């Protein structure tokens, strides 16, 4: 009897649902949920200098372990993960080389994103852990700590300022070719980059337009990096750094002003202050150029829309600004003395041209 019972149990039909394979949408969702692990892996590779170690060709696991000081077997596992996401490849057993994408983690290449990888790994990933609180309260991480903005919070740590500046320089270098293709600066005699940081954008524009003079206008702490950069690329005879605070005043020295990734940092009130100061500094019908993301009116799935939406949330958690739609930029500019003339796509960014009215 017991044998028959056991046989019956063995032959009992298994419910169809329990044999179903995971749906593609469920697996895609799982990958998205776990995507923070990819950032962590890339961050570790950037900190260890894996790209620099592989820039001259393949190296063995033993060579990489010795050069990095990492545990051999743990490093092997990291390199395996880097290979699955396309940063490294394995041309031979225990031998690793750098892919075309992986070259971007080499700090010496022209469009390196090493600084951005470290910024994401050391600062943004930690900040985003508090995103729920920002969504619930509408407050930034700094405001939740009783500070006015994230830049005041960051200024407490010189190391954080250095990490931030390196990341911003990386992002600017990435977008510069698109900006130069999208906009013709020929008619500008003197261009001032308000909030220009280390001078990456101004340096590139001045090199492209030999007739132009230029000024980088930013806080005093940016002066050393900006002057060094302008000297290094050989344009210091036509471009200089000028210290100041765009919330207080903008010097009236240029016939055109460019602001890259500045207005998105701030809410409408503070953005209005910056724009009005720029308006006062420009001559009649002077040119204002914004390099910003344009948020779609109705976002849908896709890498560009995702990048805009994630940047928008980063502004919510960070300085308190937002990514704006075309209509929002039109109204913001109009409320502060400018007429929007054109918007030209420049990669994932856009060049917004306005005239002082």
């Amino acid at each position: 009897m017991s044998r028959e019972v056991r046989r019956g149990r063995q032959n009992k039909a298994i419910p169809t649902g329990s044999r179903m394979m995971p749906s593609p949408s469920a697996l895609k969702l799982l990958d998205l949920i776990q995507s923070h692990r990819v950032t962590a892996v890339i961050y570790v590779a950037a900190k260890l200098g894996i790209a620099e170690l592989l820039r001259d060709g393949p190296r063995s696991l033993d060579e990489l372990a010795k050069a990095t000081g990492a545990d051999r077997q743990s490093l092997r596992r990291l390199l395996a993960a880097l290979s699955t996401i396309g940063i490294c490849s394995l041309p031979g057993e225990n031998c690793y080389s750098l892919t075309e994408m992986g070259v971007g983690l080499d700090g010496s290449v022209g469009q390196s994103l090493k600084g951005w990888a470290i910024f994401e790994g050391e600062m943004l990933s930690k900040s985003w852990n508090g995103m729920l609180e920002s969504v619930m309260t509408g407050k930034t991480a700094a405001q939740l700590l009783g500070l006015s903005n994230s830049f005041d919070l960051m200024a407490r740590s010189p190391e954080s300022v250095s990490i931030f500046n390196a990341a911003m320089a990386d992002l600017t270098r990435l977008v510069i070719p698109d900006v130069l293709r999208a906009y013709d600066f020929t008619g500008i005699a003197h261009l001032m980059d308000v909030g220009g940081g280390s001078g990456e954008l101004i340096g590139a524009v001045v090199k492209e337009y030999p007739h132009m003079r230029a000024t980088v206008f930013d806080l005093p702490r940016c002066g050393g990096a900006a002057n060094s950069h302008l000297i290094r690329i050989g344009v210091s005879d036509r471009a200089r750094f000028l210290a100041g605070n765009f919330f207080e005043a903008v010097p009236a020295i240029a016939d055109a002003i460019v602001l890259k990734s500045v207005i998105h940092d701030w809410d409408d009130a503070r953005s209005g202050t910056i724009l009005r100061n720029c308006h006062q500094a420009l001559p009649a019908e002077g040119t204002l150029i914004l390099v910003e993301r344009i948020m779609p009116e109705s976002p849908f799935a896709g890498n560009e829309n995702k990048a805009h939406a994630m940047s928008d949330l980063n502004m919510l958690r960070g300085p308190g600004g937002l990514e704006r739609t075309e209509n929002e930029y039109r109204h913001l500019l109009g409320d502060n003395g400018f007429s929007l003339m054109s918007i030209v796509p420049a990669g994932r960014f856009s060049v917004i041209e306005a005239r002082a009215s």
Side-chain angles (χ1 to χ4, degrees):
M1 180 67 180
S2 60
R3 185 175 300 170
E4 291 300 320
V5 170
R6 285 197 297 272
R7 184 180 296 118
R9 287 176 178 168
Q10 288 172 348
N11 293 337
K12 186 177 180 180
I14 300 174
T16 302
S18 63
R19 291 190 304 219
M20 290 176 61
M21 296 294 289
S23 70
S25 59
L27 291 175
K28 184 177 180 180
L29 177 60
L30 180 62
D31 288 340
L32 287 172
I33 292 169
Q34 296 178 155
S35 57
H36 67 98
R37 302 181 186 183
V38 175
T39 302
V41 166
I42 295 172
Y43 162 72
V44 174
K47 290 291 286 186
L48 291 178
I50 297 295
E52 287 86 351
L53 292 171
L54 295 176
R55 68 161 63 121
D56 295 325
R59 298 186 70 173
S60 69
L61 175 61
D62 288 335
E63 289 176 315
L64 293 172
K66 182 178 180 181
T68 60
D71 175 75
R72 183 181 185 277
Q73 289 307 312
S74 299
L75 182 61
R76 178 185 63 79
R77 294 161 73 174
L78 176 74
L79 290 163
L82 290 168
S83 299
T84 67
I85 60 174
I87 301 295
C88 297
S89 62
L90 287 80
E93 186 177 357
N94 284 330
C95 183
Y96 301 87
S97 63
L98 204 59
T99 65
E100 182 179 357
M101 182 169 66
V103 169
L105 287 182
D106 184 339
S108 68
V109 300
Q111 288 196 329
S112 172
L113 287 172
K114 180 175 183 175
W116 193 272
I118 293 172
F119 178 51
E120 287 277 357
E122 292 193 8
M123 294 176 65
L124 290 190
S125 61
K126 296 173 184 176
S127 175
W128 274 57
N129 284 335
M131 184 60 73
L132 176 61
E133 195 172 7
S134 288
V135 170
M136 296 301 293
T137 64
K139 295 182 178 180
T140 67
Q143 289 169 341
L144 289 165
L145 293 172
L147 299 170
S148 61
N149 64 72
S150 62
F151 294 106
D152 291 340
L153 178 61
M154 183 175 60
R156 294 179 170 185
S157 168
E159 182 181 2
S160 293
V161 172
S162 296
I163 291 171
F164 175 82
N165 288 342
M168 295 306 107
D170 278 3
L171 188 60
T172 299
R173 283 193 295 267
L174 189 66
V175 76
I176 280 172
D178 293 320
V179 171
L180 291 176
R181 281 191 292 268
Y183 191 81
D184 184 1
F185 292 85
T186 301
I188 298 172
H190 189 158
L191 179 66
M192 178 165 52
D193 189 349
V194 172
S198 60
E200 293 285 344
L201 178 58
I202 276 292
V205 174
V206 168
K207 288 196 76 170
E208 189 77 8
Y209 293 87
H211 73 281
M212 185 185 292
R213 292 181 298 116
T215 300
V216 180
F217 180 71
D218 212 325
L219 296 172
R221 65 177 180 233
C222 300
N227 285 322
S228 295
H229 177 69
L230 297 174
I231 292 170
R232 184 169 60 253
I233 65 173
V235 298
S236 59
D237 59 327
R238 292 185 292 121
R240 61 167 181 154
F241 177 85
L242 184 62
N245 185 329
F246 53 50
F247 284 120
E248 296 173 0
V250 172
I253 58 174
D255 55 316
I257 288 174
V258 61
L259 300 99
K260 182 206 160 288
S261 300
V262 172
I263 298 302
H264 82 147
D265 281 339
W266 309 103
D267 61 19
D268 285 359
R270 303 202 78 182
S271 292
T273 298
I274 299 168
L275 291 173
R276 286 192 299 275
N277 286 340
C278 289
H279 186 274
Q280 290 176 4
L282 284 169
E285 298 188 355
T287 302
L288 178 75
I289 304 161
L290 307 182
V291 180
E292 296 282 4
R293 299 179 187 272
I294 299 294
M295 192 74 177
E297 296 285 352
S298 301
F300 54 87
N303 287 336
E304 184 168 327
N305 281 354
K306 180 175 72 173
H308 294 349
M310 294 301 172
S311 182
D312 183 52
L313 285 176
N314 198 44
M315 296 303 101
L316 168 64
R317 182 65 183 161
L322 68 158
E323 301 298 349
R324 295 174 172 88
T325 65
E326 178 178 337
N327 281 331
E328 286 173 329
Y329 271 113
R330 189 180 304 278
H331 291 308
L332 180 66
L333 289 164
D335 289 343
N336 293 285
F338 291 96
S339 298
L340 194 155
M341 305 302 293
S342 65
I343 297 180
V344 181
R348 289 187 174 178
F349 286 75
S350 290
V351 178
I352 305 167
E353 182 184 51
R355 289 274 190 273
S357 54

